[in-house]
Amino acid sequence: VANAHNLLTAIVAEHPGHIEANYRLGVIERDRGDVTQAKHAWQSVLAQGRPRSGSHDDELLLRSALELGALYVSEGGFEPALAVYRSCMARLPGKMELLLQAGALESRLGMTTAAIAHYEEALRINEPSAVLHNNLAALYMRQREPEQALPHFERLAELAPGDAHVRYTVGVLHAR
């Protein structure tokens, strides 16, 4: 690991825009416990221009955003994490992991409408997901919109037929 760290540090010193070297240096720094240097490395990745076509830069941008966001969240920095996810979503639209992370933070921060929009987009991209339907149903209920929540509870009941609580909730909503 020390050799890899030294090699990557030298590469980044010579080529500060080297996306893969910065990403991997961030992983090593995080694993070594140097969160500040890990953040710096991943911020360097995210500060780069457009991903090069034919490269795996977009994957490294995505992974850097997810890693950096997770570090911020672990420190209680929900707003900075959300800013990282939103910035990366603008560059890499339709990435499921970013939509889910942004939706979770928005929900946690009380940004219900934004969370719903991200979860709905994720649902359009992904195959039916019990977790997404559950999250959407809960968010619509939080907004006091049971008519919007009902289709998600119904789909959740189909995806998790053994969940008596979900079946009960669907029954209650139909009885309204």
Side-chain angles (χ1 to χ4, degrees), residues 76-91:
F78 304 122
E79 289 85 2
L82 185 55
V84 166
Y85 297 147
R86 286 178 172 172
S87 173
C88 197
M89 282 190 293
R91 294 171 70 185

Side-chain angles (χ1 to χ4, degrees), residues 26-49:
V27 171
I28 289 172
E29 295 292 10
R30 182 210 50 215
D31 292 347
R32 293 172 68 183
D34 192 339
V35 173
T36 301
Q37 287 302 315
K39 285 180 188 176
H40 176 72
W42 290 325
Q43 287 165 343
S44 294
V45 172
L46 296 174
Q48 300 306 311

Side-chain angles (χ1 to χ4, degrees), residues 7-19:
L7 176 64
L8 291 170
T9 301
I11 291 170
V12 168
E14 196 171 317
H15 304 283
H18 196 290
I19 289 177

Side-chain angles (χ1 to χ4, degrees), residues 100 104 107 116 119 130-140 152 156:
L100 296 176
S107 175
I116 287 171
Y119 285 148
V131 171
L132 282 173
H133 283 291
N134 181 68
N135 291 352
L136 283 163
L139 288 168
Y140 280 122
H152 294 289
L156 180 57

